[in-house]
Amino acid sequence: MAKGSEQKKLIFLGILGAALVGVLIYQLFFSGPPPRPTLANSNRSATPDTRSSVPVQNPESAAKVAQQSGRGNGQEAEFQELLSDNTPLQLAAYKPTGSPAVSERGNIFEYWVKPPPPPRLPDPPPPITIVGVNPQSATAGTPRSFTLTVYVKNSPADAEVLLDGRAKPTKRVNDGALTVEMTPGDYAYQKSINVEVKSKSEPVKQYSNSANFAVTPTPEPPFRFIGILGEQGVLEIGQSKEVLRVRVGDKIQSLWRVDSIAVGGMELTHLQFDIKRRLPLQEKPK
């Protein structure tokens, strides 16, 4: 009897174990996922899941929480509409100006290049035009005054000539020529003088282009005064080292006249420009 009862127990345990294994296999491989709660099930209260002990939140309670946070019924409907919207997102390309714009090709990695600035328009031509000046140059240090003629177009009746921005007394010869007197002080040293023409009454509106008047350097004697022999002066000419004896009144190279000879120095005059120069006595190096 004892053996029979033990065999029955073993058979019962084997059947129970097989049933448990079958239930486990069914749960793992044949049963579907539990239904997901949605906002549409607003009338259904939160119930615990039959397969898990985690309770599912009631959508009605979520709506109450949203209403209490300030969204209200209208915002709840808007929130529900956003959840049901399946429209694809529009990607925008960023521009440095701060205003996003959708790329034509829809590429958010497209590099935006700032367009170059518009080309600068050329300045309008001045109302008055200087055609030229005569003479075009003078030698610095010349002790003579001369007349500078400025040839112009479209000059007003009150036009005046300016040298380096300084107005000079101007004489109007005709509609195309203006003259000013150049004194020795105006071109005493080497430089470039800026010549302009403007109207006395409207210098801002009535002005001209610029022209240059060149002042060339003062000529210097190309020889050295190296000695005195009686009334004669001894000169050494340039790089040739030629020695020349001269008297007062003699001309050297047809350009320089000897005015005086003394131990302190020799006085010379340039015959073309009337420029005076003094040569100190220099001992010839041994």
Side-chain angles (χ1 to χ4, degrees):
M1 293 293 293
K3 290 183 179 180
S5 62
E6 289 180 0
Q7 289 180 354
K8 289 180 180 181
K9 289 181 180 180
L10 292 175
I11 293 172
F12 177 76
L13 291 176
I15 295 172
L16 182 61
L20 291 175
V21 170
V23 172
L24 180 60
I25 293 174
Y26 177 79
Q27 292 289 337
L28 293 176
F29 299 101
F30 297 100
S31 64
R36 298 178 62 184
T38 61
L39 293 179
N41 301 325
S42 59
N43 296 327
R44 187 180 304 173
S45 60
T47 57
D49 193 355
T50 57
R51 287 166 297 174
S52 63
S53 60
V54 179
V56 179
Q57 184 180 4
N58 190 351
E60 184 177 0
S61 63
K64 290 182 179 180
V65 173
Q67 185 176 4
Q68 293 176 359
S69 62
R71 283 188 284 187
N73 296 330
Q75 294 187 0
E76 178 184 353
E78 182 180 356
F79 179 68
Q80 180 64 32
E81 183 180 356
L82 291 176
L83 289 178
S84 61
D85 188 6
N86 296 325
T87 306
L89 295 178
Q90 296 288 337
L91 298 179
Y94 175 74
K95 289 188 176 182
T97 55
S99 58
V102 178
S103 172
E104 296 179 357
R105 297 176 295 178
N107 183 9
I108 62 173
F109 300 103
E110 181 180 3
Y111 181 73
W112 184 81
V113 179
K114 184 178 180 181
R120 183 179 180 275
L121 298 178
D123 296 332
I128 307 172
T129 303
I130 296 180
V131 180
V133 296
N134 184 43
Q136 297 181 349
S137 63
T139 302
T142 303
R144 294 194 298 260
S145 299
F146 67 93
T147 300
L148 177 66
T149 303
V150 182
Y151 298 101
V152 295
K153 289 182 179 180
N154 304 324
S155 64
D158 60 346
E160 63 179 354
V161 177
L162 290 83
L163 302 180
D164 288 337
R166 296 180 293 105
K168 292 280 290 182
T170 304
K171 180 180 179 181
R172 186 182 184 87
V173 179
N174 51 50
D175 292 340
L178 306 172
T179 60
V180 293
E181 290 298 316
M182 299 288 290
T183 64
D186 292 328
Y187 62 107
Y189 55 91
Q190 180 184 2
K191 60 180 177 176
S192 178
I193 299 178
N194 185 54
V195 182
E196 295 176 288
V197 175
K198 291 185 178 181
S199 169
K200 290 182 180 180
S201 59
E202 295 181 324
V204 177
K205 295 182 179 180
Q206 297 292 325
Y207 62 94
S208 73
N209 58 312
S210 299
N212 289 327
F213 179 81
V215 181
T216 58
T218 303
E220 298 293 339
F223 39 80
R224 298 169 60 236
F225 180 33
I226 60 174
I228 298 176
L229 294 176
E231 296 179 353
Q232 296 179 340
V234 181
L235 302 176
E236 183 181 71
I237 308 297
Q239 296 180 353
S240 65
K241 306 299 181 180
E242 177 186 358
V243 177
L244 180 66
R245 297 180 182 182
V246 295
R247 297 176 181 272
V248 174
D250 288 348
K251 296 179 182 179
I252 307 171
Q253 298 177 343
S254 301
L255 290 176
W256 296 93
R257 184 186 65 230
V258 179
D259 294 334
S260 66
I261 300 173
V263 177
M266 179 182 295
E267 301 290 341
L268 303 169
T269 299
H270 196 283
L271 297 177
Q272 181 180 357
F273 303 113
D274 292 335
I275 296 176
K276 304 279 185 187
R277 279 292 177 266
R278 178 182 178 82
L279 286 180
L281 180 61
Q282 300 178 8
E283 293 185 1
K284 185 175 180 180
K286 298 180 179 179

